[in-house]
Amino acid sequence: MQPTNTTRPDYFHKVVDCQWACPAHTPVPEYIRLIGQGRYSDAYMINWVSNVFPGVLGRTCDRPCEPACRRGRVEENNGAAPEPVAICRLKRVAADNKGEVKARMPAIAAPNGKRIACVGAGPASLTVARDLAPLGYEVTVFDGEAKAGGFIRSQIPRFRLPESVIDEETGYILDMGVKFRSGERVESMQALLKQGYDAVFVGCGAPRGRDLDVPGRIEASAHIHIGIDWLASVSFGHVTNVPPRVIVLGGGNTAMDCCRSARRMGGSDVKVIVRSGFEEMKASPWEKEDAIHEGIPIINFHVPKSFEHKDGKLLGMTFEIVRAVYDEKGRRTLVPTGQPDAFFECDAVLVAVGQENAFPWIESDCGIQFDKWGLPVLGQETFQSTVPQVFFGGDAAFGPKNIITAVAHGHEAAVSIDRFLHGESVATRPAPRVNLMSQKMGIHEWSYHNDVSGDTRFKVPWAKAETALASIRVEVELGFDAATAFKEASRCLNCDVQTVFNRETCIECDACVDICPMDCITFTSNGDEADLRTRLKAPAMHTAQDLYVSAELKTGRVMVKDEDVCLHCGLCAERCPTGAWDMQKFLLNTTQAGPGCRDARKAHLEVA
């Protein structure tokens, strides 16, 4: 193998598994250390730069960082099902315990004469506004509702996300001089373009819920509701109760929000019925667990056949019972079991079987092309449409995802808009800036706490069931207190503090090999990767994570380190008699809109 090029920004970024998995590349270990030190405002602002809505996401994020967390891979001896650091809930700790942060928000530059329109006030549009308004752009956000937030406000129940949190975090953005045209739904793209905006960002989400076309749907329609529309009606107070027996169809997070909401609004017999197996449901594992914890059964492998009704009154639903069959390529087919159809009585049905994009306000002759799925044709990284000054992001771009993905889209679209309005190619994506800084404070002392905690994951306390289920507006999760947050933060393995090797000072004494608790380090003869992975002190079988390979040493051997299960404990660096190992904190700064994303920055550096 060739020596690892550690100067490539992606190398150490990939070792920080949580940050690598986060669409917005939030520097997770950095803010967790600050929480452990009680520096909540600092932790909040580090989050805010990357993910914009720490308080919202600390309660509702889909947590792509947590399955990636190294803790879950190295904690094998602590139980049958090792768990990652509670990254998402620690984010909430920073939001709940921060001090006044308004004074730390970006200063607003003088107007630059450019006008931007954002359609929809959801997370993608608000991220674009947050990135561009401080640069002097005049940003106007249009939304049909009275308050900003988009689906954050209308689809996430208040028992998961209090409205005060939404108001606070959308307020930080609107207070940057953003013009919010509330109650003003854009009805025509052509009319909007004629208003002279220099760029338009479409962040209107995927506003249409999929329906279910089975017998009885029309006849019993008064008792059948589309899940996302029903949640919005609940959020805005248009629906205040449900009948006793409710069936929720679907296996995603919207279905979980529907069933838990119905349970709080008078539903005494609420059940979720889904086509797939329980493990294949799209809902996040914790969302399913929360529903089950509240006494809501999830019945799987049942395919809807018909709505049963009499004189317009819904009586129940009939389902075909199926099983999953997989072919040699792992593709699933649902096959009838031959068992008798199942019938469930109900008074109402909530259909939460998916969402789709709808752009009835974008005229077919305005130049914006759509693909066969009704999605806009976009640059995968630029988010630019076939009309150069029109950009898309969030669910409106590539279909329904989640809040943190919408935020990531907003950052990238803002870079594209900024470059576009400076006459530069949007296809050029500025590389992130990285920094490595030694953490050495003495011969055997580091600037960070490097003892590995043996604690298992701490549970977030809940409100008492009789209180939580009595009202749709009582927040269920109470969040960590300061003491528990400190202990949970201590479980973080500081994966951003990298083990950096210097071959020039290595004397191949193998002291680092002897002391490594995970058998990560091996000195051996070189070879191709497949062969080398099998010859290490502990075979490195997780090929998704790179090997750290040195240049040839004095004996002709190479140092090979398995990055996959390293604890970043620093024992190798403490034991090394020549300082060949160092612990260096890696910080990745993704390039956001502004002077740093433009070609002029490169020209300036070249002159300098």
Side-chain angles (χ1 to χ4, degrees):
M1 294 186 67
Q2 295 300 309
T4 300
N5 179 10
T6 57
T7 64
R8 184 167 49 87
D10 276 357
Y11 179 73
F12 283 131
H13 182 199
K14 192 174 180 181
V15 175
V16 192
D17 300 81
C18 50
Q19 187 178 20
W20 180 260
C22 175
H25 305 299
T26 306
V28 174
E30 177 78 357
Y31 80 73
I32 288 180
R33 273 193 300 273
L34 293 171
I35 289 170
Q37 297 166 21
R39 295 169 58 186
Y40 303 117
S41 296
D42 292 338
Y44 182 87
M45 291 309 298
I46 283 176
N47 269 283
W48 188 84
V49 168
S50 298
N51 59 49
V52 186
F53 304 100
V56 171
L57 288 163
R59 292 164 166 84
T60 64
C61 190
D62 273 7
R63 316 181 201 176
C65 53
E66 292 191 13
C69 176
R70 187 182 309 273
R71 183 90 197 192
R73 302 202 296 276
V74 302
E75 202 184 78
E76 294 175 356
N77 296 327
N78 278 8
E83 290 193 279
V85 176
I87 298 169
C88 179
R89 287 348 185 207
L90 286 173
K91 194 190 313 292
R92 173 179 171 174
V93 170
D96 287 356
N97 294 280
K98 70 183 184 305
E100 177 57 49
V101 295
K102 272 200 118 174
R104 301 177 65 168
M105 296 295 163
I108 309 302
N112 62 16
K114 302 291 185 180
R115 300 168 62 235
I116 314 294
C118 293
V119 181
S125 286
L126 291 177
T127 299
V128 169
R130 195 217 69 168
D131 286 0
L132 296 181
L135 303 177
Y137 291 99
E138 180 187 302
V139 181
T140 302
V141 178
F142 296 86
D143 198 275
E145 302 300 337
K147 289 186 172 184
F151 274 30
I152 292 175
R153 190 179 296 275
S154 63
Q155 260 69 55
I156 301 177
R158 297 291 81 87
F159 61 82
R160 290 181 58 205
L161 178 61
E163 194 161 19
S164 59
V165 177
I166 308 172
D167 290 342
E168 177 189 359
E169 296 197 324
T170 58
Y172 290 144
I173 298 167
L174 299 182
D175 288 347
M176 291 178 179
V178 174
K179 296 181 178 180
F180 180 44
R181 303 271 283 271
S182 62
E184 193 170 334
R185 193 177 304 276
V186 175
E187 302 290 353
S188 166
M189 174 61 83
Q190 289 181 340
L192 185 64
L193 291 173
K194 288 177 181 177
Q195 293 180 38
Y197 289 101
D198 297 285
V200 172
F201 177 79
V202 180
C204 58
R208 186 166 61 194
R210 291 198 178 103
D211 207 341
L212 195 62
D213 184 16
V214 298
R217 172 65 179 93
I218 296 175
E219 293 83 349
S221 60
H223 310 283
I224 302 167
H225 312 283
I226 301 298
I228 62 170
D229 298 337
W230 182 82
L231 285 171
S233 295
V234 171
S235 178
F236 296 127
H238 305 315
V239 172
T240 57
N241 58 70
V242 297
R245 300 173 301 177
V246 180
I247 288 176
V248 178
L249 301 176
N253 287 339
T254 298
M256 301 303 103
D257 286 341
C258 284
C259 70
R260 296 179 69 197
S261 297
R263 181 79 174 79
R264 287 162 169 76
M265 298 176 66
S268 55
D269 176 11
V270 180
K271 54 176 67 74
V272 175
I273 304 181
V274 62
R275 296 164 53 95
S276 67
F278 182 83
E279 296 300 327
E280 295 171 307
M281 290 172 61
K282 291 183 178 180
S284 304
W286 48 89
E287 300 286 359
K288 295 186 285 187
E289 291 167 10
D290 291 350
I292 293 170
H293 176 79
E294 293 180 353
I296 299 169
I298 297 176
I299 301 165
N300 59 354
F301 289 128
H302 279 55
V303 176
K305 247 183 130 172
S306 62
F307 295 98
E308 306 301 332
H309 57 92
K310 183 177 181 181
D311 299 328
K313 177 178 173 56
L314 181 66
L315 303 176
M317 285 193 70
T318 299
F319 296 84
E320 182 179 47
I321 302 173
V322 298
R323 60 186 175 88
V325 176
Y326 299 88
D327 63 18
E328 64 280 359
K329 294 184 178 179
R331 291 175 298 201
R332 187 196 70 175
T333 304
L334 297 177
V335 177
T337 63
Q339 296 174 260
D341 290 343
F343 174 75
F344 296 93
E345 294 181 339
C346 67
D347 305 304
V349 174
L350 303 178
V351 181
V353 294
Q355 294 166 228
E356 56 192 10
N357 293 74
F359 302 102
W361 56 279
I362 299 181
E363 294 86 353
S364 59
D365 60 349
C366 75
I368 297 175
Q369 294 180 14
F370 293 86
D371 63 21
K372 62 182 179 180
W373 295 283
L375 294 171
V377 176
L378 305 175
Q380 288 293 312
E381 294 182 335
T382 67
F383 298 91
Q384 186 180 45
S385 75
T386 50
V387 173
Q389 71 268 37
V390 177
F391 301 79
F392 286 70
D395 292 354
F398 302 120
K401 295 290 184 186
N402 49 48
I403 300 170
I404 191 64
T405 298
V407 169
H409 288 183
H411 284 314
E412 290 296 331
V415 169
S416 292
I417 292 169
D418 190 44
R419 288 182 60 85
F420 173 75
L421 294 181
H422 280 81
E424 298 178 353
S425 169
V426 299
T428 301
R429 308 312 290 176
R433 285 162 289 174
V434 297
N435 187 39
L436 279 167
M437 180 179 295
S438 177
Q439 300 304 289
K440 189 177 284 293
M441 301 290 286
I443 296 176
H444 298 302
E445 188 177 4
W446 307 108
S447 68
Y448 71 104
H449 185 67
N450 68 329
D451 288 340
V452 177
S453 167
D455 289 335
T456 54
R457 180 172 167 132
F458 292 87
K459 302 298 182 185
V460 178
W462 278 36
K464 292 182 179 179
E466 58 268 25
T467 303
L469 295 177
S471 170
I472 194 91
R473 295 191 173 272
V474 172
E475 190 170 12
V476 177
E477 290 192 5
L478 303 179
F480 288 133
D481 59 23
T484 308
F486 172 79
K487 290 187 285 187
E488 184 62 34
S490 298
R491 296 182 67 239
C492 177
L493 297 177
N494 299 291
C495 296
D496 62 335
V497 182
Q498 307 289 350
T499 50
V500 178
F501 181 71
N502 179 5
R503 68 180 284 271
E504 302 303 327
T505 56
C506 177
I507 58 173
E508 302 184 59
C509 65
D510 283 3
C512 56
V513 176
D514 295 338
I515 202 169
C516 178
M518 300 301 289
D519 291 332
C520 291
I521 304 169
T522 305
F523 287 84
T524 185
S525 57
N526 209 337
D528 63 42
E529 182 174 353
D531 165 58
L532 201 54
R533 283 183 177 273
T534 64
R535 290 193 284 108
L536 305 183
K537 192 171 182 186
M541 309 315 293
H542 184 204
T543 57
Q545 186 61 271
D546 297 338
L547 295 176
Y548 187 177
V549 183
S550 75
E552 189 174 279
L553 301 167
K554 296 178 181 68
T555 63
R557 299 186 301 172
V558 292
M559 183 287 301
V560 184
K561 177 172 175 282
D562 178 9
E563 299 280 22
D564 185 46
V565 292
C566 175
L567 298 177
H568 297 248
C569 61
L571 288 175
C572 54
E574 290 181 12
R575 183 70 178 271
C576 180
T578 64
W581 287 102
D582 191 15
M583 304 303 294
Q584 298 184 11
K585 185 170 75 173
F586 167 84
L587 184 63
L588 177 106
N589 290 308
T590 56
T591 305
Q592 294 190 353
C597 83
R598 300 176 204 143
D599 296 341
R601 171 174 170 261
K602 295 180 183 177
H604 172 74
L605 292 176
E606 287 169 1
V607 170

